[in-house]
Amino acid sequence: MSTDSKLQAIRGMNDILPGEIAYWQYLENTARILFTEYGYQEIRVPIVEHTGLFKRSIGELTDIVEKEMYTFEDRSGDLLTLRPEITAGLVRAMISNGMLHNQRHKVWSAGPVFRHERPQKGRYRQFHQLDIEAFGYAGPDLDAELILMTARLWQRLGLKRLSLNINSLGTPQSRHAYREILRQYFIQHHDQLDEDSLRRLEGNPLRILDTKNPAMQELVANAPVLKDYLDTESAAHFKTLQYHLDAVGIPSVVNPRLVRGLDYYSRTVFEWITTELGAQGAVCAGGRYNGLVEQLGGESTPAMGWALGEERIIALMQAQDIQVAAAKPAVYVVLVGDRAEAAGFALTERLRDAMPGLSIETNCDGGSFKSQLKRADKSGARYAIVIGDSEVDQRIVGLKNLRAEEPQSQLSWDELAAALQYRFN
Ligand code: ATP
Ligand code: MG
């Protein structure tokens, strides 16, 4: 810990405060409803897994495994890692719970992931993903379904101007031939390769296409493209996917440089990008990974999924001026005096019985009538229920509209629920 006495969060890890939580809840609720509408079920997996899982699934020669993982030894000497993405742990869970034998599953999950990157706008060390995966489906119709779910999510959230890039990586076999051709190309331009690319040249030259180094963009742009080496089945798979997307009216662009940062993809890969968030333009990415389950020791199972970055989606919602109202109480209960406090609490509990779902904030910690009314106003509530000792004696309350001109009404305790029902329906 630093010697600085001021408490600070870890760099690149953010607190999400009540003032901004409405966006998070809106995004997550919208996604949850949508996933359920398509028949996907939630699954929750641990945030920590054995380091070997990520090395084996994501691949040794990737940015994530080479330099971004939070890895530590626990007290039993096991080497563990905070998950840098959700897919690997989710696949592990499917295998270790025996869910892949002659079965199909459509699942989703959400939560924090961790990558030790250089923090900047849209790039954090703890960030949040919404993740969806389907197991046991080999055909391109599933690829289409997963992509059109993303399009519908943007539509539900009100997001505009996102573009969809798609590509096919073929099978590991067809990729093998391409890999060799690509390797030859980069060897010819050896002097233009940066340190990372030199390291990847032998092990996985496709990774070089994924480089973010601006100095290498031209070299990458002129590299041979995988499309010309695709096997016929992968080409047909890709064509059917495009056919489905066209039929549903989702425009897409084939981007031959799209290889994705992770090693386990096969056939379809896609990415949604925006130009409205500066350098961090990828908001959602996914693809098919038919080989991963087997690679991790499960039965060979076709699979595909995608993940979106919640921080970037929310930043885009804000950039596009999509308003999400913060939650505020409907009613604030002002209680002046000891007897009012006791009677008021009982009355409020009865109200909660009668009107589940209505947000009622009860004044706590006393205060004068005036100061409580100030708090009521600040809370954003539409109405204040006012109870003093004389109201207790008469078994009535005052109902005061805080947002509009309306004479304050006096209601008996028995009338109150009906009066609120009338105003809030
Ligand atoms: P990038 O190219 O921006 O590094 P990535 O290819 O590493 O993204 P994925 O592994 O595909 O990203 O993760 C899925 C999504 O998670 C991305 O599309 C992006 O929206 C989001 N994301 C990735 N890294 C970060 C990060 N460090 N901070 C915030 N969001 C991120
Ligand atoms: Mg990255």
Side-chain angles (χ1 to χ4, degrees):
M1 202 165 132
S2 84
T3 49
D4 195 306
S5 61
K6 196 163 156 247
L7 278 183
Q8 277 181 334
I10 296 167
R11 206 162 102 81
M13 303 201 180
N14 302 313
D15 302 312
I16 302 167
L17 303 176
E20 48 196 333
I21 205 72
Y23 281 88
W24 290 81
Q25 293 178 338
Y26 181 63
L27 168 59
E28 289 168 8
N29 290 342
T30 304
R32 186 184 321 118
I33 291 167
L34 188 128
F35 296 158
T36 307
E37 284 174 9
Y38 279 85
Y40 286 68
Q41 289 184 306
E42 186 177 2
I43 167 166
R44 299 187 186 191
V45 295
I47 285 171
V48 186
E49 297 273 358
H50 289 290
T51 303
L53 173 70
F54 301 115
K55 287 195 174 167
R56 280 167 67 194
S57 61
I58 297 170
E60 300 267 4
L61 293 174
T62 54
D63 279 348
I64 290 182
V65 171
E66 278 182 340
K67 45 194 176 196
E68 295 175 1
M69 295 206 301
Y70 278 90
T71 296
F72 60 97
E73 210 174 279
D74 78 355
R75 286 170 191 274
S76 344
D78 290 333
L79 200 57
L80 307 179
T81 293
L82 299 183
R83 64 181 184 193
E85 45 108 66
I86 298 179
T87 307
L90 211 144
V91 172
R92 196 271 312 134
M94 300 300 288
I95 298 172
S96 38
N97 291 289
M99 292 172 75
L100 295 178
H101 183 68
N102 280 335
Q103 294 174 54
R104 298 172 200 263
H105 286 282
K106 293 180 171 180
V107 296
W108 66 272
S109 198
V113 300
F114 304 83
R115 297 184 191 176
H116 196 274
E117 305 195 63
R118 194 168 66 78
Q120 53 198 290
K121 189 170 169 283
R123 191 172 294 285
Y124 309 103
R125 290 181 172 174
Q126 175 176 329
F127 62 101
H128 297 78
Q129 288 189 338
L130 278 168
D131 181 279
I132 186 156
E133 317 281 344
F135 297 93
Y137 300 85
D141 49 350
L142 187 276
D143 306 33
E145 173 172 285
L146 281 175
I147 294 176
L148 59 90
M149 287 170 76
T150 55
R152 185 171 296 280
L153 183 57
W154 313 148
Q155 185 204 3
R156 291 261 169 100
L157 295 172
L159 289 174
K160 302 211 164 65
R161 298 182 295 279
L162 280 161
S163 28
L164 172 62
N165 281 359
I166 58 173
N167 193 22
S168 175
L169 300 182
T171 61
Q173 292 77 23
S174 63
R175 208 152 64 221
H176 196 76
Y178 170 66
R179 180 190 309 235
E180 197 40 43
I181 284 151
L182 197 60
R183 205 171 67 86
Q184 291 305 331
Y185 169 80
F186 284 126
I187 286 174
Q188 277 165 24
H189 300 87
H190 201 268
D191 52 325
Q192 296 174 48
L193 296 179
D194 62 11
E195 202 183 307
D196 278 344
S197 304
L198 283 169
R199 200 170 51 247
R200 287 165 188 181
L201 186 58
E202 286 310 315
N204 195 349
L206 255 80
R207 289 281 75 79
I208 301 176
L209 297 177
D210 209 26
T211 179
K212 293 212 167 59
N213 183 349
M216 285 188 45
Q217 293 310 315
E218 201 189 315
L219 182 66
V220 163
N222 293 320
V225 293
L226 201 153
K227 190 168 143 277
D228 300 334
Y229 303 89
L230 223 51
D231 56 288
T232 45
E233 274 178 42
S234 294
H237 185 104
F238 194 47
K239 214 169 159 193
T240 310
L241 165 64
Q242 288 173 286
Y243 173 78
H244 280 305
L245 292 178
D246 284 347
V248 185
I250 297 170
S252 62
V253 178
V254 178
N255 174 0
R257 317 283 155 202
L258 181 64
V259 293
R260 306 286 309 113
L262 311 181
D263 263 352
Y264 52 61
Y265 288 106
S266 56
R267 295 206 167 140
T268 310
V269 287
F270 71 94
E271 194 156 69
W272 283 95
I273 48 183
T274 173
T275 53
E276 294 168 48
L277 290 180
Q280 269 53 255
V283 296
C284 172
R288 184 167 271 288
Y289 51 93
N290 290 346
L292 180 62
V293 175
E294 197 175 14
Q295 186 183 314
L296 291 178
E299 276 176 64
S300 172
T301 306
M304 177 165 171
W306 55 254
L308 66 76
E310 294 191 54
E311 281 78 359
R312 291 188 194 173
I313 291 290
I314 289 167
L316 189 59
M317 287 169 70
Q318 290 167 343
Q320 295 191 357
D321 249 334
I322 295 168
Q323 307 288 334
V324 181
K328 37 189 182 195
V331 176
Y332 191 100
V333 185
V334 170
L335 303 171
V336 190
D338 292 344
R339 284 168 54 232
E341 240 171 53
F345 262 80
L347 182 65
T348 310
E349 287 309 302
R350 263 174 56 197
L351 257 188
R352 293 184 201 282
D353 288 338
M355 301 187 72
L358 188 75
S359 163
I360 308 169
E361 182 173 346
T362 311
N363 186 79
C364 290
D365 264 356
S368 68
F369 173 71
K370 204 173 149 202
S371 70
Q372 290 195 37
L373 216 57
K374 250 192 202 155
R375 287 182 220 162
D377 186 49
K378 207 173 150 207
S379 77
R382 240 171 84 196
Y383 283 91
I385 292 173
V386 181
I387 308 178
D389 288 346
S390 72
E391 278 81 6
V392 176
D393 292 337
Q394 300 170 65
R395 295 180 67 81
I396 57 167
V397 301
L399 186 62
K400 184 176 169 53
N401 191 330
L402 297 168
R403 309 292 151 198
E405 286 300 329
E406 184 188 323
Q408 181 168 328
S409 40
Q410 283 202 339
L411 302 162
S412 77
W413 290 1
D414 293 333
E415 289 168 325
L416 181 58
L420 287 177
Q421 221 121 38
Y422 172 77
R423 285 171 171 79
F424 284 99
N425 274 341

